[in-house]
């Protein structure tokens, strides 16, 4: 299955979420709580475990496992077996998420490198912290629909990115760097936002660079060390730890932006729209070329041979008469191809060749253009 921005799992999951909303299920207006969804998010399972695969599985094994489990865990089937609609959707949502991440080599590599942070991240524990635990948001279980309220996609991630931006502003203010050092972040918006705003939002976060110095990761209290040499060693080690923490934080925020963008309904819809537009343009180009070819063929059919070709035919007849009388033979010459032939047989074979026919067609087009040009010049010269 080709992984595209508007992939089948994403579209199907979107349909199921909308269906759940209509029925008062996951994220619906009649839904008070979401215990199955919350349980799934809290009891976070390894994505390889969800698909029943090993860590070194191949892409073919991932596709095969997903196709098999998608049939078994389809919400309609689970609901028929007695499972609640919310729980069925949550199970299928978990399966789709596992497939989308592991089927994308880039996302899979990121997941493999941060698997333990993602699995053991506690979103609730980090809610009171100045720096949110971003790893817990690398999952489609944190949102229930595409609204900008409650546990909606645009509410959850808008709040998250606003908190990240707020941390940057607070650090710049307290450290005396000035607020100008932090570029203003565009709002995430919702389904009604113009696409220019969507583009600006993701461009900002995909190029995010923190101003935080990450002094909090220092291993040593260098200022308390009286020995200058030891203090310098401690400062160098602290500097390396800060640099590493800053680099990892920037990478995590950018990866989160990629993760969110890939699942943003506005981006998915725009991808489908652009693909349809490309197909439409290709079809128009095919029609244009087809029309030009038809016009060319029509001109060729309407073309009349000039008088000089008839003269050549008369000369050919005289040649035949001379040959019958045993007279001296002359070489045959093809004007179109610029070749000579010593016998009638060679000439006949040459006339049937593909190259000769192409040359004759080109010659005809040339004469047609000449005649049209001469006609236009004659009309222009006539007072």
């Amino acid at each position: 299955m080709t992984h595209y921005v508007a992939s089948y799992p994403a579209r199907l999951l979107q349909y199921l979420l909308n269906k759940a909303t209509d029925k008062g299920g996951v994220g619906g207006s009649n839904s008070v709580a979401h215990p199955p969804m919350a349980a799934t998010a809290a009891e976070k399972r390894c994505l390889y475990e969800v698909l029943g695969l090993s860590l070194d599985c191949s892409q073919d094994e991932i596709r095969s496992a997903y196709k098999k489990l998608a049939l078994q865990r389809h919400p309609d089937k689970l609901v028929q077996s007695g499972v609640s609609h919310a729980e069925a959707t949550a199970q299928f949502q978990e399966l789709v998420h596992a497939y989308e991440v592991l089927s994308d080599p880039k996302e899979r590599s990121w997941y493999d490198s941060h698997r333990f942070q993602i699995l053991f991240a506690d979103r609730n524990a980090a809610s009171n912290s100045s720096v949110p635990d971003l790893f817990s948001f690398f999952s489609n279980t944190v949102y229930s629909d595409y609204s900008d309220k409650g546990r909606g996609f645009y509410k959850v991630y808008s709040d998250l990115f606003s908190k990240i931006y707020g941390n940057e502003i607070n650090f710049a203010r307290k450290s005396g760097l000035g607020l100008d050092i932090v570029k203003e972040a565009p709002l995430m918006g919702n389904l009604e936002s113009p696409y220019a705003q969507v583009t600006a939002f993701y461009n900002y976060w995909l190029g995010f660079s923190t101003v935080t110095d990450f002094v909090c990761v220092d291993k040593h209290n260098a200022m308390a060390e009286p020995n200058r040499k030891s203090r310098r060693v401690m400062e160098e080690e602290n500097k390396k730890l800060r640099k590493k923490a800053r680099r990892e934080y920037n990478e995590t925020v950018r990866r989160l932006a990629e993760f969110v963008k890939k699942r943003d309904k506005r981006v998915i819809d725009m991808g489908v729209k652009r693909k349809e537009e490309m197909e439409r343009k290709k079809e128009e180009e095919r029609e244009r070329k087809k029309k030009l070819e038809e016009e060319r063929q029509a001109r060729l059919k309407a073309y009349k041979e000039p008088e000089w070709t008839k003269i050549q035919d008369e000369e050919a007849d005289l040649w035949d008469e001379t040959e019958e009388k045993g007279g001296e033979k002359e070489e045959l010459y093809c004007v179109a191809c610029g070749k000579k032939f010593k016998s009638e047989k060679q000439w006949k074979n040459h006339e049937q060749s593909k190259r000769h026919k192409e040359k004759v067609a080109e010659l005809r087009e040339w004469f047609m253009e000449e005649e049209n040009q001469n006609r236009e010049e004659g009309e222009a010269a006539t007072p």
Side-chain angles (χ1 to χ4, degrees):
M1 184 177 294
T2 304
H3 191 78
Y4 177 59
V5 67
S7 60
Y8 169 75
R11 295 199 308 270
L12 180 57
L13 182 57
Q14 178 185 328
Y15 163 75
L16 293 170
L17 288 173
N18 293 337
K19 187 175 180 181
T21 303
D22 295 339
K23 291 188 175 182
V26 181
S29 58
N30 298 329
S31 177
V32 178
H34 312 277
M37 188 75 74
T40 305
E43 301 167 9
K44 207 171 293 182
R45 290 200 298 163
C46 173
L47 301 186
Y48 292 96
E49 179 187 351
V50 173
L51 292 174
L53 299 171
S54 60
L55 297 176
D56 58 351
C57 61
S58 66
Q59 286 294 319
D60 289 337
E61 289 175 322
I62 292 172
R63 281 190 291 269
S64 178
Y66 171 74
K67 288 178 181 179
K68 180 180 178 181
L69 292 173
L71 294 174
Q72 297 175 359
R73 300 183 190 175
H74 193 281
D76 292 342
K77 278 192 175 182
L78 293 178
V79 170
Q80 290 176 2
S81 65
V83 178
S84 68
H85 195 282
E87 185 178 350
T89 303
Q91 288 187 28
F92 190 76
Q93 190 176 9
E94 180 188 42
L95 176 63
V96 169
H97 174 63
Y99 174 73
E100 286 188 336
V101 172
L102 299 184
S103 63
D104 187 320
K106 194 174 180 181
E107 285 204 14
R108 181 181 180 181
S109 177
W110 167 260
Y111 178 78
D112 290 344
S113 302
H114 302 81
R115 195 161 60 92
F116 288 103
Q117 293 101 311
I118 293 173
L119 287 175
F120 298 107
D122 188 348
R123 182 184 168 198
N124 295 324
S127 60
N128 297 323
S129 173
S130 60
V131 178
D133 185 356
L134 302 181
F135 290 104
S136 63
F137 290 88
F138 283 86
S139 171
N140 58 9
T141 59
V142 299
Y143 61 92
S144 59
D145 53 35
Y146 284 101
S147 70
D148 56 357
K149 299 177 181 178
R151 291 182 61 248
F153 180 90
Y154 298 107
K155 173 63 175 175
V156 172
Y157 286 112
S158 178
D159 289 350
L160 176 62
F161 283 110
S162 294
K163 188 169 185 179
I164 297 172
Y165 177 70
N167 291 339
E168 299 295 304
I169 293 293
N170 289 335
F171 179 82
R173 182 186 294 111
K174 291 179 181 178
S175 60
L177 295 175
L179 299 182
D180 293 341
I181 196 174
V182 183
K183 187 178 178 181
E184 185 177 357
L187 296 175
M188 186 177 192
N190 52 32
L191 288 174
E192 304 301 322
S193 302
Y195 200 74
Q197 180 180 341
V198 179
T199 302
F201 175 81
Y202 286 112
N203 285 346
Y204 179 92
W205 291 107
L206 290 172
F208 174 79
S209 181
T210 183
V211 299
T212 308
D213 58 9
F214 286 93
V215 177
C216 57
V217 301
D218 284 0
K219 184 178 180 181
H220 308 288
N221 184 6
M223 298 301 295
E225 176 59 42
N227 185 283
R228 180 181 297 178
K229 187 175 181 180
S230 298
R231 185 165 64 248
R232 187 175 300 154
V233 172
M234 290 179 179
E235 288 174 348
E236 285 298 320
E237 188 172 351
N238 286 342
K239 188 177 179 180
K240 289 180 181 178
L241 290 172
R242 294 177 195 175
K243 186 176 180 180
K244 180 182 178 183
R246 189 172 186 272
R247 183 178 65 251
E248 290 180 348
Y249 182 67
N250 283 336
E251 184 182 2
T252 302
V253 173
R254 293 169 190 168
R255 289 284 184 170
L256 179 66
E258 287 183 16
F259 180 90
V260 176
K261 181 180 180 181
K262 188 176 178 181
R263 289 154 181 82
D264 192 327
K265 188 177 183 297
R266 301 169 300 183
V267 177
I268 294 173
D269 291 345
M270 181 57 70
V272 174
K273 183 178 178 181
R274 286 174 176 171
K275 186 178 179 182
E276 291 174 349
E277 181 66 17
M278 286 178 62
E279 290 297 327
R280 184 184 65 79
K281 288 182 178 180
K282 287 180 180 178
E283 182 62 28
E284 288 178 353
E285 182 63 16
R286 284 193 292 266
E287 289 295 326
R288 187 185 70 83
K289 290 182 178 180
K290 183 180 178 182
K291 185 178 180 181
L292 289 175
E293 179 62 21
E294 290 175 351
E295 291 175 354
R296 190 180 75 86
Q297 293 294 336
R299 286 198 305 268
L300 289 175
K301 289 180 179 179
Y303 174 73
K304 294 182 180 180
E305 293 187 5
E307 291 298 324
W308 67 268
T309 57
K310 297 179 181 179
I311 295 173
Q312 279 198 337
D313 292 339
E314 292 175 1
E315 290 177 352
D317 293 338
L318 291 174
W319 161 260
D320 292 337
E321 292 176 5
T322 305
E323 188 178 23
E324 289 175 1
K325 294 177 181 179
E328 186 179 345
K329 294 183 179 179
E330 294 181 2
E331 290 182 334
L332 295 171
Y333 181 74
C334 178
V335 178
C337 301
K339 289 185 177 181
K340 295 180 180 180
F341 304 94
K342 294 182 178 181
S343 68
E344 184 71 19
K345 185 177 181 181
Q346 288 180 349
W347 169 255
K348 293 294 184 184
N349 290 337
H350 175 69
E351 277 188 318
Q352 300 302 319
S353 67
K354 181 180 179 181
R355 184 175 180 79
H356 172 75
K357 293 178 179 178
E358 291 176 350
K359 289 288 185 181
V360 171
E362 291 176 4
L363 199 60
R364 284 177 178 173
E365 286 191 14
W366 183 81
F367 275 108
M368 288 173 61
E369 292 176 0
E370 285 291 314
E371 287 183 355
N372 292 335
Q373 186 175 352
N374 291 337
R375 189 184 302 111
E376 290 174 359
E377 292 176 355
E379 292 175 355
T382 302

